[in-house]
Amino acid sequence: MLLNVHRKFMIRQLFVLTPLLFLFSCSNQKESKIPIALSQENPFQKELNAPFRFDDIRVQHLQEVYDYVVAKTNSELQSVYDLPKSKRTFDNTMLAFDKTAADFWEIVYVLNLMSYVHPDDEIKNTSSDLLLNLSEYSITAFLSDDYYYAVKEFSSSDEANTLSPERRKYMDETLHYLQFNGLGLGEVQRERMRVLNDSILDLGLEFLTNIEDSGEEVALNEDELTGLSEAFVESLRKEEGQYFMSLNYSDYNTYMRDVQSEKGREKVYMRFSNIRVQENEELLMKIFRMRKELSKLLGYDNYSEYVLASNVMDTPDKVWDFLDGLTNQVRNIAIKDYNELLSVKDQVSTAEGPGKIEIWNRKYYENILKKTKYQVDVQELSHYFEIYAVVNGIFEIMEQLFGVKINEVPNASKWHQDVLVYEVVEEGQVKSRIYLDLFSRQNKSVGEFAIPISFASQTDQGFKIPGMCIATNFIPPTKREPTVLAHEEVVDLFTVFGFVLQHNFGEPELFSQNAFFSEKDFSYAPTSLLSNWAWEYDAIKRFARHYKTGEILDQATFNRIKSTRNVGVGIETNNQILFSAIDLSLHDSFDPSNSDKSIAEITSELENQISLFPHVNGTNLHTSFSHLSDYGSRYYMYLLSEVYGQDMYSVFKENGIFNQKIGKRFRNQILKKGVSEDEYEMVKSFLGREPNQEAYLNSLVYSN
């Protein structure tokens, strides 16, 4: 198993695969010796299911655990390699590999989390450096000839033919994954593939960092802040009479929605669309060339064919058919949305030509539409959604659906005072842990993401419980006001908690079959599913109270909010189709070494062909489209997961959204299994029929 760092951003889930090449060869592994033990004060030294001692982490502990886990992994893998073929069993080969991977990756993911959120620069940077080294090491450790031949030898044994379906799936997928990554090729080809993987993933990380951790800001004058909340303005850096706003997604979206200055919106849009353009253009071209060569090495015509081979939609043509079919369904809805915004534009702006809306005005007009036609004032109604109340409401919904209790842990060990820790408890037993790091602060990575801290699996000492951290970057509370959320941010929070649902309720036997490692078409369905409760009054009334008066949000007001659910949904879905088409085109038909069109030209043509907002000269959508570096033809999975998520939600809607019988069925047939069974078959079993698009398409044309 390779590093699969999940960084989850609002409606999207980001997969960053970062296995590179380690600095020593496989032959050196025999010479490594395991340190006697980690020092007792090292937080990585802990009993099964004991909470991690985050506040005890020191830099020396990080280097110590790095040395320890590399030597330990080498020794354990070598013990498996040394077994003769006739002595191989599932336990001493496949299970041994899974347990070694579990210990290794759990350390990696904790380092990954610290590299994003730890407030101490030295710990944060050291974690990042060691994470890269372990990522480099992983390809040598887990993609070696010895590893491949050990799995292949066991797969031909008599025992392999008698495995349970879950264990058989693990063996088959491991063998396929190894072959998929070049094991079985000749030595020269395999070495070239390793070099390509090294370069692609290194370049991809650089591309992502340029976008998401660029540190770039846009300077704003006071007249370009009118309409923004007091708390938002106070959060901006001020210097010599100007305000400086970070170009992270959260601040950008709030600004584009609320600010009255069209000049300001255009300025911010143009800056946001031109982050590190020249650098990222060069990085993308290198990545696409190498991906093309990589796919050719494995016998595929292009990278799309290569990465889609194991998905439900296993060819580019099937994905194109899905996107084309959805485009036909969505186009008219998007045009209706556009015309509705035109009516707003005619009332508030004379700068644009007749019948035209500039893309930087879209969110602002949508907000005005909510205020005027639907009488929804986003800022005013945010007073009903204090962030801690929303979190507790989400937990209450999970409790009722799944028959558990979610309790805050007082005085828990954590990396920052703002972090909250919770335990999921069932029948007196702790089943999992949840860490929440909700507010922005200096030196914390931007965006919203979910990173596991521990993984479910059966061990020799007992069952290991899962744990996950949700990190967001909401504006921190002040002495005068708490942090409140717009309802769309409430929906986003429900969405990201879908990853907790998926990870923390899993109970697979094997580490490798945690749902977190799914890369198939179903990956984001639980997030799509959970977001629906944010649109149900029976759920919202449990926690939506005005933070000053304690007044419960009344149903009539909520109905107005709900009536805005599909404001702009056609445009937004059309944009998702656009991003999917860009991603697929650049990995399917585009040949970076022999094309008469540049990446920019292909992207702008697709913008003009699919989007209702034509390409804006001077902008570079492709260089700020972070998923081009990691999804590689699979961005469409967001849309397909919406199809599965809405289809599964239809079962709750039909039987009652708090029906514990349905909740437990969902938990048992979907969540508990992780990816130990085929995900499409699990969905089909839960639905009692083949999945279809009906519920999803109905959700796009919902009318209160």
Side-chain angles (χ1 to χ4, degrees):
M1 179 175 296
L2 302 182
L3 178 59
N4 194 1
V5 180
H6 287 50
R7 306 179 67 175
K8 316 267 171 65
F9 291 86
M10 293 286 185
I11 308 301
R12 58 200 183 92
Q13 177 185 30
L14 176 61
F15 292 84
V16 186
L17 299 174
T18 56
L20 307 175
L21 289 172
F22 195 48
L23 301 179
F24 53 78
S25 67
C26 291
S27 60
N28 287 348
Q29 293 180 11
K30 296 182 180 181
E31 301 170 9
S32 297
K33 295 186 182 295
I34 305 178
I36 295 173
L38 291 171
S39 58
Q40 285 301 312
E41 66 270 16
N42 193 316
F44 289 89
Q45 174 70 39
K46 67 186 191 73
E47 298 296 323
L48 179 71
N49 296 332
F52 198 96
R53 306 191 315 272
F54 285 105
D55 49 6
D56 289 340
I57 291 180
R58 302 294 181 268
V59 171
Q60 62 268 26
H61 298 148
L62 303 178
Q63 185 62 55
E64 181 187 22
V65 78
Y66 169 81
D67 294 336
Y68 172 79
V69 75
V70 168
K72 175 179 179 292
T73 301
N74 288 341
S75 178
E76 290 178 355
L77 293 179
Q78 192 60 50
S79 295
V80 179
Y81 302 155
D82 288 342
L83 291 168
K85 179 179 179 180
S86 61
K87 298 291 185 181
R88 293 206 178 279
T89 66
F90 182 87
D91 286 355
N92 68 25
T93 301
M94 300 305 302
L95 188 58
F97 280 158
D98 187 69
K99 289 180 176 179
T100 296
D103 292 342
F104 178 85
W105 290 115
E106 192 161 302
I107 288 170
V108 166
Y109 278 104
V110 172
L111 291 175
N112 185 45
L113 177 63
M114 295 299 96
S115 74
Y116 290 151
V117 301
H118 205 284
D120 182 276
D121 281 344
E122 191 175 6
I123 290 176
K124 189 175 191 288
N125 295 334
T126 301
S127 295
S128 183
D129 292 342
L130 294 177
L131 178 68
L132 182 59
N133 289 343
L134 287 174
S135 303
E136 292 169 346
Y137 165 67
S138 69
I139 199 168
T140 297
F142 300 112
L143 284 179
S144 69
D145 286 337
D146 287 337
Y147 199 105
Y148 171 65
Y149 290 127
V151 175
K152 193 169 178 60
E153 284 176 357
F154 173 74
S155 70
S156 64
S157 69
D158 291 339
E159 185 187 358
N161 295 321
T162 65
L163 294 175
S164 67
E166 295 81 6
R167 288 185 167 197
R168 178 79 195 195
K169 182 175 184 285
Y170 163 56
M171 182 194 72
D172 288 343
E173 289 184 344
T174 300
L175 189 60
H176 170 77
Y177 187 75
L178 292 166
Q179 293 168 338
F180 191 70
N181 280 277
L183 277 301
L185 293 176
E187 185 176 345
V188 173
Q189 292 172 300
R190 191 167 62 254
E191 180 58 29
R192 179 57 183 162
M193 189 169 181
R194 287 175 178 168
V195 171
L196 289 171
N197 272 326
D198 176 12
S199 300
I200 289 169
L201 297 166
D202 199 16
L203 294 169
L205 284 174
E206 186 178 349
F207 180 82
L208 285 170
T209 301
N210 285 348
I211 297 171
E212 291 157 4
D213 292 321
S214 67
E216 291 193 21
E217 297 176 317
V218 57
L220 299 166
N221 299 319
E222 195 160 334
D223 61 356
E224 294 170 329
L225 301 176
T226 304
L228 297 168
S229 70
E230 181 181 344
F232 186 91
V233 174
E234 285 183 359
S235 73
L236 302 180
R237 184 172 68 85
K238 188 176 181 181
E239 185 178 312
E240 296 181 356
Q242 283 194 309
Y243 294 81
F244 293 85
M245 185 183 80
S246 165
L247 291 174
N248 66 60
Y249 286 99
S250 179
D251 287 357
Y252 171 79
N253 287 332
T254 299
Y255 186 89
M256 300 302 284
R257 182 194 69 205
D258 292 342
V259 82
Q260 294 177 12
S261 169
E262 183 169 348
K263 176 185 173 184
R265 293 194 299 272
E266 180 180 2
K267 177 200 287 189
V268 170
Y269 176 79
M270 296 301 290
R271 280 294 310 279
F272 188 78
S273 302
N274 285 288
I275 297 174
R276 306 280 182 90
V277 172
Q278 184 174 350
E279 295 171 57
N280 279 357
E281 179 92 39
E282 294 172 359
L283 289 170
L284 284 176
M285 187 59 77
K286 291 176 183 177
I287 289 170
F288 293 152
R289 285 198 190 102
M290 292 178 182
R291 282 178 173 168
K292 183 78 170 179
E293 182 182 350
L294 188 96
S295 58
K296 291 288 187 180
L297 280 174
L298 289 166
Y300 295 90
D301 286 341
N302 56 62
Y303 194 72
S304 292
E305 289 186 2
Y306 167 56
V307 298
L308 295 174
S310 61
N311 283 19
V312 175
M313 293 187 179
D314 56 1
T315 67
D317 285 346
K318 289 181 180 179
V319 179
W320 281 121
D321 288 345
F322 168 69
L323 294 177
D324 289 344
L326 201 55
T327 299
N328 294 334
Q329 299 277 358
V330 168
R331 186 73 178 181
N332 288 337
I333 303 173
I335 291 172
K336 181 180 177 182
D337 290 344
Y338 192 90
N339 289 334
E340 196 168 32
L341 294 184
L342 279 174
S343 66
V344 175
K345 187 267 297 187
D346 291 341
Q347 299 171 32
V348 299
S349 174
T350 58
E352 298 162 300
K356 180 183 179 182
I357 297 172
E358 298 293 356
I359 191 169
W360 50 81
N361 292 328
R362 175 199 155 198
K363 285 293 184 182
Y364 181 67
Y365 291 166
E366 285 179 356
N367 194 28
I368 292 177
L369 184 65
K370 291 176 182 179
K371 288 181 180 180
T372 55
K373 180 176 179 179
Y374 300 101
Q375 297 182 328
V376 172
D377 186 323
V378 173
Q379 284 190 22
E380 180 60 33
L381 290 174
S382 69
H383 295 163
Y384 287 91
F385 300 112
E386 190 273 326
I387 191 167
Y388 293 125
V390 176
V391 167
N392 290 333
I394 294 172
F395 287 156
E396 185 180 340
I397 290 167
M398 290 183 180
E399 288 176 337
Q400 183 155 345
L401 284 175
F402 305 127
V404 300
K405 294 297 292 181
I406 302 177
N407 304 321
E408 185 176 353
V409 180
N411 303 315
S413 179
K414 50 196 179 184
W415 53 90
H416 189 273
Q417 62 184 11
D418 289 344
V419 175
L420 299 176
V421 183
Y422 298 83
E423 291 179 339
V424 180
V425 179
E426 185 175 33
E427 296 179 352
Q429 289 189 322
V430 177
K431 305 291 287 187
S432 67
R433 291 191 180 89
I434 303 166
Y435 292 75
L436 301 183
D437 190 346
L438 298 173
F439 304 119
S440 62
R441 60 178 175 268
Q442 188 176 7
N443 206 31
K444 180 182 175 183
S445 293
V446 300
E448 287 69 41
F449 43 90
I451 298 177
I453 292 169
S454 60
F455 294 86
S457 66
Q458 190 63 48
T459 74
D460 294 337
Q461 293 78 39
F463 191 80
K464 177 177 282 189
I465 63 172
M468 173 166 276
C469 172
I470 297 294
T472 58
N473 275 277
F474 293 111
I475 297 170
T478 66
K479 292 180 179 179
R480 288 176 294 174
E481 290 190 341
T483 295
V484 294
L485 307 179
H487 183 262
E488 65 184 34
E489 292 173 319
V490 174
V491 177
D492 290 337
L493 201 55
F494 269 77
T495 300
V496 77
F497 267 85
F499 301 123
V500 170
L501 201 69
Q502 188 177 37
H503 182 69
N504 282 48
F505 287 90
E507 297 181 18
E509 174 200 8
L510 301 171
F511 159 79
S512 300
Q513 292 184 332
N514 275 259
F516 189 77
F517 297 119
S518 171
E519 293 181 35
K520 296 189 178 180
D521 300 338
F522 176 76
S523 299
Y524 315 129
T527 67
S528 171
L529 172 82
L530 190 62
S531 67
N532 285 283
W533 274 265
W535 293 103
E536 299 286 358
Y537 185 66
D538 284 346
I540 288 292
K541 69 182 182 182
R542 295 168 178 240
F543 60 84
R545 295 175 181 270
H546 198 287
Y547 78 89
K548 290 182 179 178
T549 67
E551 174 193 12
I552 298 173
L553 183 70
D554 64 272
Q555 183 154 11
T557 302
F558 180 75
N559 286 344
R560 295 202 305 273
I561 295 175
K562 191 170 183 177
S563 69
T564 69
R565 180 173 187 175
N566 283 11
V567 169
V569 70
I571 293 173
E572 185 59 38
T573 306
N574 203 61
N575 285 345
Q576 293 299 301
I577 294 170
L578 169 63
F579 289 129
S580 300
I582 291 170
D583 181 35
L584 193 58
S585 294
L586 293 173
H587 292 98
D588 180 17
S589 55
F590 175 61
D591 185 346
S593 299
N594 185 28
S595 176
D596 56 354
K597 294 180 181 178
S598 67
I599 300 173
E601 288 172 326
I602 292 171
T603 302
S604 61
E605 283 183 8
L606 287 169
E607 285 182 83
N608 292 331
Q609 176 186 336
I610 297 173
S611 177
L612 297 182
F613 299 90
H615 172 73
V616 177
N617 290 333
T619 63
N620 293 274
L621 176 61
H622 58 292
T623 60
S624 58
F625 182 14
S626 60
H627 286 315
L628 285 178
S629 72
D630 49 56
Y631 273 35
S633 298
R634 292 171 294 190
Y635 189 83
Y636 77 93
M637 291 194 297
Y638 285 125
L639 289 167
L640 190 54
S641 287
E642 283 284 327
V643 171
Y644 291 142
Q646 294 302 323
D647 208 3
M648 290 189 294
Y649 183 67
S650 69
V651 179
F652 286 94
K653 191 68 175 172
E654 182 179 344
N655 293 278
I657 64 169
F658 292 109
N659 188 317
Q660 195 169 102
K661 182 178 178 181
I662 300 300
K664 288 185 175 179
R665 189 174 112 201
F666 177 72
R667 182 181 177 187
N668 290 331
Q669 294 185 347
I670 302 288
L671 301 178
K672 273 190 176 182
K673 295 180 179 181
V675 291
S676 62
E677 295 181 17
D678 181 84
E679 291 149 291
Y680 184 86
E681 293 299 321
M682 289 193 296
V683 175
K684 188 166 72 172
S685 174
F686 175 72
L687 294 172
R689 57 169 170 76
E690 293 284 341
N692 63 56
Q693 296 185 20
E694 182 179 349
Y696 174 63
L697 294 174
N698 285 341
S699 76
L700 298 182
V701 294
Y702 167 82
S703 176
N704 188 41

